[in-house]
């Protein structure tokens, strides 16, 4: 296989490029002023350019042929023409006129970084999303962007997936959809499994690394990801996406759109069904989803209603594989195991997670004057579901159930099946007032949100039930959270080449819990916070190809639900985390070469980390450590030496440290002799590495286009060593890994259909054995150290194939 792949690469690299020509022009508005940033696209080649400061653009090395060319710019109507290339072609001055309908970019403008914003960011357009989308979750679409590392419980990107950016975990990454927060208000995480196949309805994604710009919802404490759903399609369409592949994975998605009706109205619908057996044993998924939008457009007004929903049911695969089984049973999944009446080990067939979530958004944008417009949205998200577990030999009193007496024998323990439920509502509004002047662009925005989450547990069956009722409830608590924020962002031109960026945000949070947890502890508590998060930076446009920037940003983050619930009542209450983020970068944008370098230093105060400390019932707690940091350099490049070949690569090199780490290990000997032994052994290790923060992340993509209808991509990723805990112990690491994927796509444009596209992705091409996540629990017993652990293996070589039909 390796030899075949290398031969393919060599054959493509030596292919001659005949008849290569250059396309150029200048994009102007109706006043003959340049439109820098205008987008130029050649549909058949999936190639394009962005207009420079003087409005000029150049697309070099285009094969001879006939193409569809489109120019677009926010607030202006598209310009399209069929062009024939058999020599260099200069289109001269191209004038775009003000759009007769308002563009949908206004929905996300307030949360997005622009071309002069002094932050590090990457963007993914619809064409790239479509080419990578095989039904896997959004983290896997972003896997090859700078500083991103992904993981999947089921081992193949469907089901429970997660990502880290610069080592920052999911509950510190701010996620918004159309500017509306997606992060769960209590856990601060986004569970992508609740949004199956959402990528099919996403138009573009922006990833800001570091603190970034002010956004809505939870703190961007290391990164933010903003998704914009499908924009207006002016013509009616129907698209079918089908995927099938390894582990009996199958996806069917149908998208329909009316196009623009009577120059004002449009509606879009998508339904999806996705199934997979998963790589891990019994890690099957059964996912359904839909997306619906309806919009009214005119020159000054946009009203858009959006609703989308996901229903997920999957077999639990959360515990990973013990390290001693990795070499022999990589797909082992121990969840659901129990011993039947005959003494046989069997697996409960309904050890499932079941949840449904529905989102509603209503957006309104209105032009108020030549320089001023307003945008806002109200939103509501409702969710409900449970996970079900078979538990052996549980103490009935722990479930508020009486002992059972049978034949004079008192039975205090029983096998049982339980469900842990969450029913929650999240609603609020966001908005902003936007000013665009000749020297100043400003946004005054903010939002208010409220969350109500009911947590409770029911026992639906016991082997010895006694007098308990069906669906006996043994715990319940309610979390209520309100948060609000106001921000003012301004970009001001301070000279011909210099612009200054300021972003001032205030945020208030009130959070309370009332009731008992699953271990019957009373967890009633109240917390409130007020944060001031300033950001300032400069951008220097050296010339039309080069820019340099620098920024300093402050972010504050409140602890999440588990930080509060798991905290030891007799110990310190977890406090807010603070981050001071320093960023500086340089970017070069040329005809055939793009280069970028970004330096960062993220200085944390009171970052919450696991230290091995436990609470009064033995559960792990997160502890504030006074000083820690992340520092690194991110490098990226895009090179097109020929019209049929592009090379993209990125590298992150970093150090991620806790300055004075104090850890704890459970001492089981304490329980046999409490008088002489501490219940935890303390470790003072000094400076240590932050867990799950690789010192090196490399991405490489070779994109070949031997002829216009075909693309071949060889995608490679290297992730360096990661420590599983914060002790810097070489005994507890995730080994470095190097993986390769091969993607092939072929499109045809018959008269009967607008497009037929075939796609194949061969993942983990060389069958590497690697793990992307793990957990570990350490203890001392009889003077010896022992561990329990779980690793999350990822699938070996596997294939996904797809077909896309566009009518």
């Amino acid at each position: 296989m390796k030899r075949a792949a290398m031969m393919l690469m060599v054959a493509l690299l030596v292919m001659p490029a005949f008849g290569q020509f250059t396309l150029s022009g200048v994009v102007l508005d109706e006043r003959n002023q340049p439109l820098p940033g205008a987008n130029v696209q050649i549909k058949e080649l999936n190639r394009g350019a962005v207009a420079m400061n003087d409005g000029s653009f150049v697309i070099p090395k285009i094969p001879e042929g006939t193409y569809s060319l489109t120019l677009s710019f926010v607030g202006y109507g598209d310009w399209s023409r069929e062009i024939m290339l058999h020599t260099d072609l200069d289109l001269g001055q191209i004038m775009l006129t003000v759009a007769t309908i308002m563009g949908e970019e206004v929905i996300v403008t307030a949360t997005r970084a622009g071309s002069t914003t002094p932050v590090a960011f990457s963007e993914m357009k619809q064409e790239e999303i479509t080419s990578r989308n095989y039904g896997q979750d959004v983290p896997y679409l972003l896997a090859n962007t700078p500083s991103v590392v992904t993981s999947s419980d089921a081992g193949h990107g469907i089901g429970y997936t997660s990502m880290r950016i610069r080592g920052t975990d999911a509950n510190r990454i701010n996620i918004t959809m159309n500017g509306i927060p997606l992060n769960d208000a209590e856990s601060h995480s986004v569970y992508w499994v609740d949004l199956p196949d959402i990528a099919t309805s996403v138009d573009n994604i922006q990833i800001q690394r570091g603190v970034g710009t002010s956004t809505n919802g939870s703190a961007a404490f290391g990164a933010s990801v903003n998704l914009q759903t499908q924009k207006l399609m002016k013509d009616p369409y129907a698209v079918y996406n089908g995927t099938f592949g390894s582990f009996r994975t199958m996806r069917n998605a149908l998208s329909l759109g009316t196009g623009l009706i009577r120059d004002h109205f449009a509606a879009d619908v998508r339904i999806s069904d996705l199934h997979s057996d998963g790589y891990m044993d019994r890690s099957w998924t059964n996912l359904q989803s839909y997306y619906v939008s309806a919009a009214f457009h005119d020159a000054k007004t946009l009203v858009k209603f959006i609703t989308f929903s996901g229903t997920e049911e999957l077999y639990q695969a959360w515990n990973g594989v013990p390290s001693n089984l990795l070499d022999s049973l990589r797909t082992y999944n121990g969840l659901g195991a129990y011993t039947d009446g005959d003494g046989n080990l069997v697996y409960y067939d309904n050890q499932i997670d079941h949840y449904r979530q529905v989102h509603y958004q209503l957006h309104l944008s209105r032009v108020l004057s030549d320089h001023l417009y307003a945008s806002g949205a109200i939103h509501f998200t409702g969710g409900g579901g449970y996970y079900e577990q078979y538990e052996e030999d549980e103490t009935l009193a722990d479930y508020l159930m009486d002992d059972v007496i049978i034949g004079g024998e008192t039975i205090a323990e029983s096998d049982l099946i339980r469900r842990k439920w969450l029913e929650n509502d999240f609603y609020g509004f966001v908005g902003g007032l936007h000013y665009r002047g000749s020297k100043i662009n400003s946004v005054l925005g903010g939002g208010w949100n409220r969350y109500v989450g009911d947590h409770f547990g029911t026992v639906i069956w016991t082997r010895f039930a006694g007098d308990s009722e069906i669906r006996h409830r043994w715990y319940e608590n309610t979390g209520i959270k309100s948060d609000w924020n106001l921000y003012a962002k301004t970009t001001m031109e301070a000279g011909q080449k210099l612009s200054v960026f300021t972003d001032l945000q205030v945020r208030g949070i009130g959070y309370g819990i009332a009731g008992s947890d699953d271990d019957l502890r009373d967890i009633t508590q109240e917390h409130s916070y007020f944060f001031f998060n300033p950001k300032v930076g400069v951008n220097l446009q050296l010339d039309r190809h080069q820019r340099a920037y620098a920024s300093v940003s402050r972010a504050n983050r409140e602890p999440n639900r588990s930080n509060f619930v798991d905290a030891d009542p007799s110990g310190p209450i977890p406090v807010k985390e603070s981050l001071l983020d320093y960023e500086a970068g340089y970017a070069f944008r040329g005809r055939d070469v793009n280069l970028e370098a970004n330096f960062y230093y993220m200085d944390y105060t009171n970052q919450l980390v696991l230290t091995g400390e436990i609470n009064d019932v033995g559960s792990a707690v997160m502890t504030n450590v006074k000083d820690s940091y992340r520092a690194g350099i991110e490098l990226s490049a895009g090179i097109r030496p020929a019209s049929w070949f592009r090379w993209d690569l990125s590298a992150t090199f970093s150090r991620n440290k806790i300055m004075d780490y104090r850890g704890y290990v459970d001492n089981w000997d304490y329980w046999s002799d409490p008088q002489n032994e501490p219940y935890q052994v303390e470790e003072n290790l000094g400076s240590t590495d932050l867990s799950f923060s690789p010192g090196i992340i490399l991405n490489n993509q070779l994109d070949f286009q031997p002829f216009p209808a075909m693309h071949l991509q060889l995608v490679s990723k290297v992730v360096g060593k990661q420590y599983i805990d914060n002790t810097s112990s070489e005994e507890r690491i995730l080994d470095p890994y190097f993986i390769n994927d091969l993607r092939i796509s072929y499109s045809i444009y018959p008269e009967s259909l607008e497009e037929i596209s075939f796609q194949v992705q061969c993942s983990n091409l060389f069958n590497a054995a690697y793990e992307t996540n793990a957990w570990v629990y350490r203890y001392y017993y009889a003077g010896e150290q022992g561990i329990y652990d779980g690793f999350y293996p990822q699938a070996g070589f596997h294939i996904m194939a797809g077909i896309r039909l566009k009518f």
Side-chain angles (χ1 to χ4, degrees), residues 50 96 99 112 174 200 323 335 448 521 591 647 779:
V50 174
L96 300 186
R112 288 288 175 94
N174 174 273
T200 302
S323 55
L335 286 171
W448 175 87
R521 289 181 301 130
R591 293 183 179 181
W647 183 16
Y779 62 90

Side-chain angles (χ1 to χ4, degrees), residues 124 132-133 135-145 148-158 160-163 192 739 741 743 761 763 770 772 793-795 798:
M124 187 176 291
R132 297 185 183 186
N133 183 17
Q136 294 169 305
D137 292 334
V138 168
Y140 275 67
L141 296 181
L142 307 180
N144 296 108
T145 55
V148 173
V149 176
T150 60
S151 184
S152 167
D153 286 4
H156 68 324
I158 298 173
Y160 274 93
T161 61
S162 61
M163 65 180 167
W192 297 103
I739 52 175
D741 299 338
R743 301 172 184 152
Q761 177 170 285
S763 300
Y770 70 106
T772 55
Q794 303 302 288
H798 57 289

Side-chain angles (χ1 to χ4, degrees), residues 561-578:
R561 172 188 166 90
S562 62
N563 299 148
F564 289 129
V565 169
D566 295 335
D568 190 341
S570 63
I573 297 173
V575 300
K576 70 171 185 177
E577 302 173 294
S578 296

